[in-house]
Amino acid sequence: MKVFKGIGDWIAATYEVGTPFLQQVPRECADYLLLNAQIREYDTGDIIINGGAAGQAFGVLQSGRAQICGQILPDGHYNVLAYLESGACFGEMSIICNEPTSNTVIAAEDGCTVLLVPRDEFVKFLDKNPNILVYLYKVVADRLRAKNQAFDDFERLSLLASGKVLPFIDFAQTMEKSRVTGTVLFESNGETGFIAFQDGRICCAKCGKLTGPDAFEKLLSWGDETLFKLDTHLMPDIININQQSDTTSLILDALRNIDEKQSAKQ
């Protein structure tokens, strides 16, 4: 456990992304938070913090994984902006800024254990340990950098793209990296179809009467003449493609099948 004597030590300290929050603060700080926290467990889909509500608690994810989500639409869909891994803290910005929370935090798997420090106790903690604000600023700055990068990726994905300029495999890899949920609409020589993504993984495809892997291969066979665009508000109700394979492997396997079928016809 680190020992910091003053604000200079906090500023000079390296913020270690991925290292649990409670392991990066002095022992007395960690002990205070542990003693004054409520331990709660959430299952997949449970809301931990509601976006738009007044910040009521500072949280530390002790186990499991959670999603930071944008505005939840009336139909229940939402965009996953980022993931919180075990050890991450959250909820500090709304309390420090005295503003409603900007995002909703949702459990991404069963058994998410969270330490929740009530707002009043967290304010008392900051009053006794003001230097820790430097560390929290570093946490916020890192999230803003990640959000800015994701926004840049998203803006690029939202444009109407051409297969000649941006190969679909590159487009799909960005979808996977940013964990985007949405449907990519295809058009080529008067034909249309779509490939849907759930949290960055391909989950569904349709082209004319073809569905699933057959439709997926058909759309990929269109090649450089394809135009495609992402619609994050459109999602099919079914899954017809196995999500166990990563996106790149799925596309490469489909392209190999296309080549084999073309070679067999010759």
Side-chain angles (χ1 to χ4, degrees):
M1 196 73 70
K2 297 180 180 179
V3 177
F4 299 129
K5 296 180 179 179
I7 194 168
D9 288 346
W10 282 97
I11 292 174
T14 301
Y15 166 58
E16 300 170 7
V17 179
T19 299
F21 168 76
L22 294 178
Q23 292 181 19
Q24 296 202 61
V25 299
R27 180 61 179 270
E28 60 271 18
C29 292
D31 287 346
Y32 181 93
L33 293 172
L34 288 168
L35 288 171
N36 291 279
Q38 302 168 358
I39 301 176
R40 295 186 180 176
E41 188 169 302
Y42 300 85
D43 289 330
T44 305
D46 289 346
I47 294 177
I48 302 172
I49 288 182
N50 263 311
Q56 296 299 318
F58 169 74
V60 180
L61 186 62
Q62 288 295 90
S63 64
R65 203 162 179 246
Q67 301 169 327
I68 300 178
C69 304
Q71 181 182 7
I72 299 180
L73 301 175
D75 62 2
H77 287 101
Y78 52 82
N79 291 327
V80 178
L81 304 177
Y83 279 81
L84 292 172
E85 304 293 343
S86 179
C89 64
F90 57 93
E92 71 289 329
M93 187 181 298
S94 61
I95 296 176
I96 293 172
C97 297
N98 196 31
E99 294 181 352
T101 54
S102 55
N103 300 123
T104 297
V105 179
I106 299 175
E109 57 187 54
D110 291 344
C112 282
T113 304
V114 180
L115 296 179
L116 290 174
V117 181
R119 179 191 181 93
D120 291 344
E121 288 298 336
F122 186 62
V123 171
K124 291 179 184 177
F125 168 72
L126 294 178
D127 186 52
K128 295 178 180 179
N129 303 277
N131 289 344
I132 204 170
L133 285 168
V134 174
Y135 173 83
L136 293 175
Y137 289 154
K138 291 182 178 182
V139 173
V140 172
D142 179 70
R143 288 180 185 156
L144 286 175
R145 282 191 290 268
K147 184 178 288 187
N148 287 340
Q149 180 60 54
F151 181 76
D152 287 343
D153 290 342
F154 181 78
E155 283 295 295
R156 182 163 68 91
L157 288 174
S158 296
L159 298 174
L160 183 64
S162 168
K164 290 181 180 179
V165 179
L166 179 64
F168 178 71
I169 189 170
D170 294 339
F171 188 92
Q173 285 172 339
T174 303
M175 293 277 287
E176 183 174 38
K177 179 181 177 183
S178 300
R179 298 182 183 275
V180 175
T181 294
T183 299
V184 180
L185 306 173
F186 284 70
E187 181 179 347
S188 179
N189 298 319
E191 292 187 88
T192 61
F194 69 79
I195 295 175
F197 290 74
Q198 178 69 46
D199 294 336
R201 291 292 184 97
I202 294 171
C203 64
C204 183
K206 188 175 188 303
C207 179
K209 295 182 179 180
L210 299 176
T211 60
D214 291 336
F216 185 56
E217 290 183 13
K218 175 69 173 179
L219 293 169
L220 292 181
S221 72
W222 289 351
D224 292 346
E225 299 303 318
T226 308
L227 296 175
F228 47 85
K229 183 178 181 179
L230 172 66
D231 186 338
T232 57
H233 300 304
L234 179 64
M235 276 297 292
D237 296 327
I238 60 171
I239 293 176
N240 57 29
I241 291 182
N242 185 359
Q243 289 183 283
Q244 298 303 313
S245 299
D246 65 88
T247 297
T248 301
S249 297
L250 202 60
I251 294 174
L252 292 177
D253 287 343
L255 291 175
R256 277 194 290 269
N257 288 338
I258 293 170
D259 288 340
E260 290 174 1
K261 291 176 181 177
Q262 290 177 343
S263 297
K265 291 181 180 178
Q266 295 175 357

